[in-house]
Amino acid sequence: MNINEFIKELNKLNIKPTEEELTKLEEYARMLLEYNNKFNLTAITKIEDIYLKHFYDSLSITKAVDLNQELKILDIGTGAGFPGLVLKIFFPKLEIILLDSNNKKISFLNEVIKELGLKNIKCIHGRAEELPTEYRECFDIVTSRAVASLRILTELSVPFLKVNGYFVALKGKAEEELKEAESTLKVLNCEIEKMEKFILPDQISERTIIKIRKEKETPDTYPRKYDKIKKQVLK
Ligand code: SAH
């Protein structure tokens, strides 16, 4: 998708990008390509694909949540910053924490944040299931794209949400994962509030945005250790 198509598609999402935001995005794309060899950040290397499959795809989360507010957001397994860093560029009021277990990616993200002069955004090197207790029950939204199955992500995300906060998962086709996550959602007192299925503007790639609301506090026993989460389904 070229830049004009990108802007047109953002308008359909009710996003009217400023020149400054587009310049920041351009610089981000440039850095992504420059650092890619060294840091192994993305398999997508054509600029038009970066705008579609990383930038537009990240912003498509606005189909499910209104981000024009002061919200505290955690992006689990953000990688090279998707969706969290892209959201920060277009919604400066957000307070964002980017979490990833890969330190090279965290170094890259810190470089981008510095270069673009972004404020109120912080990177943490670590694993979601090992985040310190000070991060529990304090986010309005937890997001995640392309990190693990919905069942696993639900257990990794929900403990960090406030009651009535949302876990928003960005997925491709999701029918099977939804079925597999049912009992976990129940045990962790969550409900699917909205599901947005759509096709990316390339008219090929299927997407599902799953918006899950946390209804009650999460017991301290979750998230369990990663091995346990993987092997033992909550029932
Ligand atoms: N969200 C990005 C990256 C996806 S790749 C995107 O959509 O492009 C998955 C990333 O999740 C990797 O960078 C990996 O280091 C990170 N990751 C996997 N399991 C994790 C965990 N338990 N906690 C934190 N990060 C994790």
Side-chain angles (χ1 to χ4, degrees):
M1 131 190 289
N2 67 33
I3 191 73
N4 289 331
E5 288 160 352
F6 178 71
I7 293 170
K8 210 167 95 194
E9 290 301 329
L10 290 200
N11 288 340
K12 290 188 199 162
L13 295 174
N14 275 324
I15 301 171
K16 309 262 180 300
T18 63
E19 278 304 316
E20 191 190 341
E21 288 161 354
L22 292 171
T23 305
K24 284 186 172 154
L25 205 62
E26 211 176 298
E27 177 63 10
Y28 182 14
R30 192 197 62 71
M31 291 179 80
L32 196 59
L33 293 175
E34 183 192 325
Y35 285 72
N36 200 29
N37 290 339
K38 206 161 59 172
F39 288 176
N40 208 7
L41 300 167
T42 176
I44 295 171
T45 52
K46 276 206 223 129
I47 195 81
E48 297 209 342
D49 290 342
I50 290 177
Y51 272 78
L52 176 70
K53 298 206 165 152
H54 286 324
F55 297 161
Y56 176 84
D57 199 37
S58 294
L59 290 161
S60 71
I61 196 174
T62 56
K63 288 175 182 279
V65 280
D66 176 11
L67 297 179
N68 285 301
Q69 313 172 51
E70 285 179 20
L71 299 168
K72 208 171 157 184
I73 297 188
L74 171 67
D75 185 17
I76 293 182
T78 190
F82 308 121
L85 189 48
V86 183
L87 300 182
K88 180 66 200 179
I89 293 174
F90 288 90
F91 299 94
K93 276 193 268 181
L94 300 176
E95 180 183 343
I96 299 202
I97 292 188
L98 304 172
L99 175 72
D100 205 283
S101 54
N102 179 324
N103 207 20
K104 278 192 186 170
K105 291 181 179 165
I106 294 294
S107 308
F108 168 72
L109 293 170
N110 279 322
E111 289 292 319
V112 178
I113 288 169
K114 198 167 82 188
E115 190 64 33
L116 304 189
L118 302 175
K119 300 280 177 286
N120 230 352
I121 180 166
K122 184 170 107 178
C123 303
I124 299 180
H125 173 222
R127 298 192 58 89
E129 65 278 17
E130 290 163 9
L131 261 191
T133 51
E134 65 190 270
Y135 294 103
R136 293 185 73 88
E137 311 269 339
C138 73
F139 292 92
D140 300 292
I141 295 175
V142 177
T143 58
S144 196
R145 187 185 84 153
V147 175
S149 72
L150 187 67
R151 177 184 76 77
I152 292 176
L153 283 176
T154 299
E155 184 165 346
L156 294 180
S157 306
V158 168
F160 305 103
L161 285 173
K162 295 175 184 169
V163 173
N164 290 323
Y166 293 106
F167 167 44
V168 187
L170 303 181
K171 291 279 174 192
K173 258 197 165 155
E175 278 81 6
E176 276 175 31
E177 288 190 33
L178 278 160
K179 213 176 275 167
E180 191 209 27
E182 265 174 23
S183 62
T184 299
L185 289 170
K186 218 176 259 170
V187 172
L188 296 180
N189 299 303
C190 292
E191 203 174 53
I192 296 179
E193 188 174 289
K194 192 172 182 183
M195 202 142 53
E196 281 284 337
K197 280 194 199 180
F198 61 100
I199 299 183
L200 283 185
D202 64 358
Q203 310 301 344
I204 300 168
S205 318
E206 285 185 44
R207 292 289 183 268
T208 313
I209 301 178
I210 305 160
K211 181 183 185 186
I212 291 167
R213 189 166 64 87
K214 164 162 164 170
E215 297 184 317
K216 287 190 198 148
E217 263 182 48
T218 313
D220 290 344
T221 38
Y222 306 115
R224 297 165 294 165
K225 293 216 177 339
Y226 200 76
D227 249 19
K228 222 20 188 315
I229 300 177
K230 262 179 92 174
K231 284 190 201 137
Q232 199 185 333
V233 178
L234 288 180
K235 283 191 208 308

